[in-house]
C-alpha cells in the first residue's frame, strides 16, 4: 500500500511519525523531571528535617547524661545552686527531646521508622525511671552510691 503513495505523502507521514515520537519523548522527559523534583522535595522537606531532629535528639541524650552527672556531683560536693541549675536544664532537655521525637514520628512514613522512634522513646523512658531512682538516692543522702550506679 505504501508503494502506491506519492513521495510527498511518504515524506509527510515519516515527518509526522518523527514529530509524534519527539512529542512522546518530550512528555516522558517532563514526567521524569517532575518525578525527580517530587522525590527531591520529599528529601528536602521530610528526610532532611527528620535527620536534623534526630541529630538534635541525639545531642540532647548526651546533654541529659551530663546534666544527670552534674546533679549527682553537685549533691556530693554540696553545691545546691549547681544542682538546681542542672536539674532545670535537664527538664528543658527532656521536654525538647519529647518535642523532637514527636516531630520525627510525624515525619516518619515507614512503619519501621515509627517503630524505631517508639523504641527510642522507650529507652529514654527507662533512662528517666533510672534517673528518678538516682535522684531518690541523692535525696536520701546516697550521692556516692548514685554516682557509682550511674556509671553502669
Amino acid at each position: 500500500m505504501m508503494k502506491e503513495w506519492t513521495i510527498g505523502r511518504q515524506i509527510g507521514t515519516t515527518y509526522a511519525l518523527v514529530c509524534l515520537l519527539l512529542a512522546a519523548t518530550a512528555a516522558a522527559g517532563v514526567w521524569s523531571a517532575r518525578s525527580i523534583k517530587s522525590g527531591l522535595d520529599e528529601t528536602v522537606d521530610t528526610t532532611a528535617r527528620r535527620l536534623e531532629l534526630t541529630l538534635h535528639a541525639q545531642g540532647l541524650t548526651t546533654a541529659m547524661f551530663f546534666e544527670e552527672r552534674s546533679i549527682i556531683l553537685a549533691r556530693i560536693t554540696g553545691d545546691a545552686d549547681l544542682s538546681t541549675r542542672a536539674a532545670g536544664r535537664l527538664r528543658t532537655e527532656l521536654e525538647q527531646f519529647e518535642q523532637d521525637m514527636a516531630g520525627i514520628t510525624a515525619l516518619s512514613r515507614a512503619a519501621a521508622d515509627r517503630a524505631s522512634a517508639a523504641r527510642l522513646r522507650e529507652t529514654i523512658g527507662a533512662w528517666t525511671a533510672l534517673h528518678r531512682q538516682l535522684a531518690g538516692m541523692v535525696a536520701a543522702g546516697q550521692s556516692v552510691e548514685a554516682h557509682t550506679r550511674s556509671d553502669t
Side-chain angles (χ1 to χ4, degrees):
M1 180 172 172
M2 276 188 76
K3 290 182 182 180
E4 297 172 6
W5 286 7
T6 65
I7 190 76
R9 189 173 192 189
Q10 288 176 1
I11 292 173
T13 302
T14 303
Y15 179 75
L17 286 174
V18 168
C19 287
L20 186 63
L21 288 173
L22 182 62
T25 303
V30 168
W31 178 80
S32 293
R34 286 186 180 165
S35 295
I36 290 169
K37 184 183 181 312
S38 174
L40 185 58
D41 287 346
E42 169 73 18
T43 299
V44 170
D45 294 341
T46 303
T47 306
R49 178 64 181 144
R50 197 172 65 221
L51 179 59
E52 178 185 12
L53 289 171
T54 302
L55 290 173
H56 188 250
Q58 181 182 16
L60 287 171
T61 59
T62 302
M64 289 185 294
F65 171 78
F66 285 110
E67 294 302 345
E68 177 185 61
R69 304 285 290 193
S70 294
I71 292 168
I72 293 169
L73 293 174
R75 290 292 180 103
I76 290 172
T77 60
D79 191 344
D81 185 46
L82 175 60
S83 177
T84 302
R85 285 182 293 151
R89 286 190 303 264
L90 179 60
R91 277 190 302 277
T92 301
E93 289 158 356
L94 278 168
E95 290 169 6
Q96 184 62 53
F97 179 84
E98 280 302 318
Q99 290 173 4
D100 288 353
M101 291 308 300
I104 291 168
T105 302
L107 293 171
S108 297
R109 295 218 166 43
D113 293 339
R114 288 189 296 276
S116 292
R119 282 192 306 274
L120 184 54
R121 275 190 165 144
E122 288 173 12
T123 301
I124 290 298
W127 179 86
T128 303
L130 177 62
H131 170 72
R132 286 189 190 116
Q133 190 177 30
L134 294 174
M137 291 173 75
V138 168
Q142 301 171 330
S143 299
V144 175
E145 292 84 356
H147 178 67
T148 303
R149 176 123 191 243
S150 71
D151 285 337
T152 60

